[in-house]
Amino acid sequence: MAQRRMMEELSWDAFSSLPLEARAPYFLQSSGRPYHCVIAQQFDRECLDHLCDLATRIRRIAKSKVGMDFLSSLMRNKRAMLYFTQPSTRTFLSFFSACQILGFSPAEVRDTSISSEMKGETKEDTIRTFSSFFDLIIMRTPMQGFAEQMAWMISRTERPVPIINAGSGKDQHPTQALLDIYTLERSFEHTGGIDGKTVLFCGDLLRGRTVRSLSGLLTQYNNVKQIFAAPDCLQIGQDILDMLKAKGIEYEITNDFKGHVKDADAVYMTRIQDEWDTKPGESATMSYKHEDYWFTGDDLKNLSPKGVIMHPLPRRQEISTDCDDDPRAVYWRQERNGMWIRAALIATIFCRDQEITQYYMLNNR
Ligand code: NCD
């Protein structure tokens, strides 16, 4: 395995000090398919198009019982561990469902108080233990870089298994970004695709990992403008702006969310990530007008008729429920898209993608 050989040559310190773009190829198979999925930077446009097409094929195949039987026969001999040590509803459930669709037997550890971590076992040893019993590890962790470090570590052992990052600290959430891309692709299917569109991000852009990963994936599309609307104290990190600058991507940072809704093809709302507050209640008392960063029924009037409102969910007040019935509100569809694109990702990691495409060509066209 290419990535194993390369990782064996580098210590974690040497590896992690490489720029993201330089680390990305280490997570791929020699065919260019993902092996691990840990950072958004490992996906190029070709891979994104492949995953979106495959997700659609899986979605259509799954409409019939015989199709479901085919899909669930693919990985029937494999087991997946979902190791989620941070709260999760939809990411967990969509991975669980994606595994079931492909025939995996999924198992879970969500509460470390009943695992050997309580006896002082390190998280590294816990992950290594999972690799003794499971063929795939899907993990959510509050620790930035941890999923990536575990991918590096497991690749150097005699039993490497793929690791999928289901959210790591404030930093990355690559599979959420994949489902966001798939949702954008589907939403703009009849209006020229993602190329040339403007995406307006709003909310806690400083601590929201979904925005950070999606911002990276959007750079794979042509002429996509990114607007970051947030109060100064929650504005997007300089590392993201540097990345956009280096790639020559057009972007804007602003405090004026409402004034930019009319410019957007997609409005991407986010929740205040107050679990990262350094003092309890800190976010609630931040001195800016919180309602200025909420999308309400009034803002629907300013949104383009072909525009969409997205949200990784869970939401609080940042999108009022009176927007839910508007056809441009796609956040519930977005949630379900997560299951299809995650199934596509896992099938691709395990090299079952061509078989799915062949089945689709024969039975579903
Ligand atoms: C996000 C997350 O956990 O980063 N949710 C998700 O995965 N769908 C965003 C959030 O929790 O606000």
Side-chain angles (χ1 to χ4, degrees), residues 75-129:
M75 311 294 303
R76 199 163 278 156
N77 57 336
K78 301 277 184 201
R79 290 181 294 272
M81 166 50 70
L82 284 84
Y83 177 58
F84 275 56
T85 59
Q86 248 192 327
S88 177
T89 303
R90 73 219 84 233
T91 304
F92 178 84
L93 290 176
S94 70
F95 267 119
F96 198 92
S97 308
C99 285
Q100 285 182 325
I101 287 170
L102 295 173
F104 276 92
S105 304
E108 61 184 84
V109 169
R110 305 189 73 175
D111 177 3
T112 52
S113 71
I114 53 163
S115 85
S116 279
E117 281 182 45
M118 274 314 273
K119 302 183 199 161
E121 183 161 61
T122 62
K123 292 192 183 331
E124 286 81 350
D125 284 0
T126 301
I127 298 289
R128 204 159 167 178
T129 299

Side-chain angles (χ1 to χ4, degrees), residues 84 86-92 94 140 166-170 172-173 175-176 179-180 204 207-211 268-276 311-316 318 334-335 342:
F84 275 56
Q86 248 192 327
S88 177
T89 303
R90 73 219 84 233
T91 304
F92 178 84
S94 70
R140 166 169 285 200
S168 56
K170 291 175 267 186
Q172 287 259 1
H173 195 346
T175 64
Q176 176 71 41
L179 78 90
D180 293 338
D204 189 342
R207 303 174 294 185
R209 55 196 174 191
T210 68
V211 171
Y268 191 100
M269 301 301 295
T270 63
R271 163 182 79 83
I272 300 299
Q273 310 274 312
D274 48 13
E275 63 270 42
W276 301 109
H311 195 306
L313 302 178
R315 76 169 150 189
R316 292 177 188 162
E318 61 276 354
Q334 186 183 350
E335 171 174 272
R342 285 172 172 132

Side-chain angles (χ1 to χ4, degrees), residues 184 188 194-201 214-215 218-219 221-228 244 248-254 260 263-267:
L184 288 166
F188 299 139
I194 298 175
D195 293 333
K197 299 291 190 292
T198 296
V199 179
L200 169 59
F201 293 104
L214 180 56
S215 175
L218 286 172
T219 67
Y221 294 81
N222 298 322
N223 304 319
V224 173
K225 180 176 175 184
Q226 303 188 25
I227 307 176
F228 302 98
L244 297 177
I249 307 289
E250 196 188 349
Y251 71 83
E252 189 180 333
I253 52 174
T254 179
H260 280 80
D263 307 325
D265 297 292
V267 177

